Amino acid sequence: DQQVKQNSPSLSVQEGRISILNCDYTNSMFDYFLWYKKYPAEGPTFLISISSIKDKNEDGRFTVFLNKSAKHLSLHIVPSQPGDSAVYFCAATKTSYDKVIFGPGTSLSVIP
Amino acid sequence: ETGVTQSPTHLIKTRGQQVTLRCSSQSGHNTVSWYQQALGQGPQFIFQYYREEENGRGNFPPRFSGLQFPNYSSELNVNALELDDSALYLCASSLLSGLTNEKLFFGSGTQLSVL
């Protein structure tokens, strides 16, 4: 039972354009959401997060949007750069002493 | 400030053997989580340790066990290895304080191959 879903295994975007990565979750108890980025041969690194009390969080080129009623969140990268090419994992947790659940990831390729 | 380090980076074992993977947490962190990442999948939660006690476990059999030491370093032990145990094993440390345990800092992982 996959509680965090990323239905697009891969995404290809031109440099300078917007990248939109989507994520859906099934567990309504989740109230904290995170995005991680992973390069080959490295561990995932934290990118940006959002609490369920917000619907948007911005950090430079990265913005995460949360739609609680739809149990959907998205990561926007504007403008996309070739260095953004990586696998992006959506993750969710409850703000307690609880585990972080990851989605299967979306591989983003930014074409120069 | 040192990051999360894992050893070894690569390991080859045969079915039925036992393996121990090691992790040193980032300085100042008190919690360690272990994840298994199979090819093409996201990290799957194995278990978490806080103050040397198991503090949550995913859907993994008892032959997956762990330890956290007073210096917050950790081990993952897997007994009776099976072919499906072949995966990247990721250790992540974090600071659990108050009601939040948010940002995980990952090591580069140990790639385990079971033949």
Side-chain angles (χ1 to χ4, degrees):
Chain A
D1 177 28
Q2 199 169 55
Q3 298 185 68
V4 179
K5 303 177 184 181
Q6 295 176 259
N7 292 324
S8 297
S10 63
L11 177 67
S12 189
V13 172
Q14 286 290 131
E15 181 179 3
R17 305 293 291 268
I18 184 171
S19 295
I20 300 176
L21 294 89
N22 293 304
C23 175
D24 297 289
Y25 61 95
T26 58
N27 190 337
S28 57
M29 297 296 290
F30 289 146
D31 56 8
Y32 198 82
F33 305 89
L34 311 95
W35 286 92
Y36 282 80
K37 179 169 72 173
K38 185 179 186 301
Y39 294 117
E42 295 183 13
T45 56
F46 171 78
L47 193 57
I48 191 169
S49 62
I50 187 167
S51 165
S52 61
I53 62 173
K54 294 186 174 182
D55 54 18
K56 177 183 173 181
N57 189 26
E58 212 169 336
D59 183 2
R61 297 186 297 114
F62 303 91
T63 303
V64 56
F65 295 92
L66 174 62
N67 182 335
K68 288 187 294 293
S69 60
K71 295 193 182 68
H72 176 83
L73 61 156
S74 60
L75 174 68
H76 293 210
I77 306 174
V78 183
S80 300
Q81 299 174 352
D84 295 331
S85 297
V87 177
Y88 289 78
F89 293 104
C90 174
T93 187
K94 293 175 271 185
T95 47
S96 61
Y97 300 156
D98 206 12
K99 55 187 177 282
V100 178
I101 304 298
F102 285 79
T106 295
S107 179
L108 173 65
S109 296
V110 180
I111 304 164
Chain B
E1 184 180 86
T2 57
V4 179
T5 58
Q6 292 187 243
S7 62
T9 55
H10 294 83
L11 201 51
I12 299 175
K13 290 285 189 179
T14 57
R15 195 170 49 181
Q17 285 189 308
Q18 178 266 342
V19 69
T20 297
L21 310 182
R22 293 179 173 83
C23 173
S24 292
S25 298
Q26 183 163 313
S27 175
H29 286 179
N30 57 14
T31 302
V32 65
S33 304
W34 284 91
Y35 286 82
Q36 179 196 67
Q37 186 181 10
L39 197 62
Q41 297 183 22
Q44 299 292 311
F45 176 76
I46 303 175
F47 42 56
Q48 180 184 95
Y49 278 81
Y50 170 66
R51 292 184 175 176
E52 303 174 53
E53 297 282 335
E54 189 178 287
N55 183 41
R57 190 178 183 93
N59 191 25
F60 280 82
R63 59 189 184 85
F64 285 77
S65 63
L67 285 172
Q68 186 185 29
F69 300 101
N71 65 355
Y72 301 122
S73 65
S74 177
E75 286 181 356
L76 165 66
N77 298 289
V78 187
N79 293 322
L81 283 167
E82 301 177 359
L83 297 179
D84 284 349
D85 295 334
S86 296
L88 179 68
Y89 287 85
L90 294 163
C91 168
S93 73
S94 56
L95 178 63
L96 186 60
S97 60
L99 291 176
T100 61
N101 180 22
E102 319 162 351
K103 200 181 300 182
L104 300 173
F105 291 82
F106 282 88
S108 297
T110 294
Q111 185 65 54
L112 173 65
S113 298
V114 182
L115 306 178

